Amino acid sequence: MDRFSAIDVVRLRWFVAVAEELHFARAAKALRISRQRLSQTVIDLEHELGTKLFVPGVSPTQLSADGHELLLAARELIVRAEAAAQEQVSATPVALRVGFVPGVTVSKWTRIWAERFPQTALEVVALAAADQLSALREGRVDMCFVRLPIDRDGLNAIPLYRELPVVVVPKEHPISLFGAVRLADLADEKLQDGGDLDAAAVTLEMVAAGVGPVVVPHSIARLHARRDLVYRTVTDAPDTEIALAWPIANASELSEEFVGVVRGRSERSSRSPSGRSEPVATPKKSGAGKKSGVAKQPAQARKSAKPAHAKQKSVKRRGR
């Protein structure tokens, strides 16, 4: 096997495909490469080893004795290579995969994560709005910034902020003269359906072409901003809500840490796993007349606490 160990794994895989199929065309199709490329690879391999791996001039294709020997060795070498690759992946710091739908800006949170956890990779994944739930259910992401409502069965979801709706119109449209509008102001307009946020760019192209205005979340209008279009807040249209969601079954310390980042918790917050692991400082004893080193108590606790020497109010006893 030692004489085969110098052969790279890709060529070993290609040879095994031919050796198991005993058909170059079918093997090439399975590998999604050209038959010519596969044949040349086998020829080069035979020149490198100085032997024939397949019996020349025989139909159907047959392995030679040396070909059988290489097939057995190749299978074992591929298994070893896969095991080594898996060990390397396991040694890599666990990455947290966070998805986000159109309109959500994640740069602030990724920056804070990089500052607090530089050894733990954070992978952000741009998703179509239509894929937000399936990406979580199928495990393509660990957490996701979603646009509500969604089916929350089996999910944790913490609402983050709400978005005002805006109407997008051509720059010369009368609506552009308003600072904000109501739905009644749009009663005579032929509004387009803005529900498919993944097709927002096409919808806004239709707005520019004069097909009709559209009402979309503010971040979507900003994401696809154009010089020939303007948008104005619609004060009485339903708003939308952005939330951070993740499967309950997959909750972990990493996801809890990310929740803390998104909610603005401090680095040493006791509600975060890393904060709870910090050693508790022992307050220093203070001398007479000096301020105590004990941390301040919450306002409610200070209000309810009474000094030991406080005088108790006398209780009047009713006469018999």
Side-chain angles (χ1 to χ4, degrees):
M1 184 183 297
D2 290 341
R3 68 192 184 105
F4 301 135
S5 59
I7 304 173
D8 62 272
V9 176
V10 174
R11 290 195 297 163
L12 288 176
R13 290 183 190 278
W14 291 7
F15 166 75
V16 169
V18 180
E20 291 179 343
E21 284 285 351
L22 292 177
H23 196 286
F24 276 80
R26 287 199 299 266
K29 185 177 180 180
L31 293 168
R32 296 183 179 181
I33 60 174
S34 68
R35 177 179 177 176
Q36 292 76 10
R37 186 180 180 188
L38 182 58
S39 297
Q40 189 59 52
T41 298
V42 172
I43 292 172
D44 292 343
L45 197 54
E46 288 179 331
H47 287 164
E48 183 178 326
L49 296 174
T51 186
K52 291 293 183 181
L53 300 175
F54 296 92
V55 179
V58 175
S59 183
T61 304
Q62 294 181 20
L63 280 169
S64 66
D66 288 334
H68 278 290
E69 183 183 357
L70 176 58
L71 178 60
L72 295 175
R75 286 169 173 165
E76 186 173 342
L77 288 169
I78 290 171
V79 169
R80 289 183 183 179
E82 290 176 346
Q86 185 60 43
E87 288 179 3
Q88 186 175 1
V89 170
S90 301
T92 304
V94 178
L96 184 66
R97 300 164 302 162
V98 179
F100 64 97
V101 296
V104 177
T105 303
V106 297
S107 55
K108 172 185 175 181
W109 299 311
T110 57
R111 176 180 54 78
I112 295 174
W113 181 272
E115 292 172 353
R116 292 188 185 179
F117 309 103
Q119 302 303 319
T120 305
L122 179 67
E123 179 185 356
V124 290
V125 182
L127 297 171
D131 290 340
Q132 60 181 15
L133 189 57
S134 60
L136 285 169
R137 301 277 192 220
E138 295 168 6
R140 285 183 277 142
V141 293
D142 303 306
M143 311 181 81
C144 187
F145 290 98
V146 299
R147 195 176 296 274
L148 299 179
I150 60 171
D151 177 10
R152 299 196 188 189
D153 184 35
L155 297 178
N156 282 317
I158 53 172
L160 300 176
Y161 59 90
R162 308 190 77 90
E163 273 196 86
L164 290 174
V166 298
V167 60
V168 185
V169 297
K171 196 172 183 179
E172 300 79 14
H173 196 283
I175 291 293
S176 65
L177 301 176
F178 292 83
V181 297
R182 298 174 62 84
L183 288 174
D185 300 321
L186 306 174
D188 297 331
E189 301 290 340
K190 185 180 178 181
L191 291 176
Q192 296 188 69
D193 182 6
D196 186 0
L197 299 183
D198 297 323
V202 176
T203 305
L204 296 188
E205 183 66 40
M206 301 292 281
V207 174
V211 174
V214 66
V215 177
V216 293
H218 177 266
S219 66
I220 298 299
R222 185 179 58 201
L223 179 65
H224 300 286
R226 300 169 46 134
R227 291 184 178 181
D228 54 349
L229 299 177
V230 296
Y231 51 87
R232 298 291 182 260
T233 302
V234 184
T235 57
D236 58 346
D239 58 10
T240 57
E241 191 167 21
I242 300 297
L244 178 62
W246 66 97
I248 295 173
N250 295 343
S252 65
E253 287 195 356
L254 280 180
S255 60
E256 192 175 343
E257 293 285 11
F258 192 73
V259 169
V261 167
V262 172
R263 284 190 155 175
R265 296 174 191 161
S266 67
E267 188 172 357
R268 298 182 181 276
S269 171
S270 60
R271 300 183 66 182
S272 298
S274 57
R276 291 196 294 267
S277 64
E278 291 291 329
V280 180
T282 305
K284 297 179 180 180
K285 294 182 180 180
S286 58
K290 294 183 180 180
K291 291 183 179 179
S292 171
V294 180
K296 293 182 179 179
Q297 292 178 315
Q300 186 176 358
R302 294 198 304 270
K303 185 176 180 180
S304 61
K306 294 182 179 180
H309 61 274
K311 294 182 180 179
Q312 296 182 352
K313 294 183 179 180
S314 58
V315 179
K316 293 184 180 180
R317 302 181 62 182
R318 296 181 180 178
R320 295 182 180 180

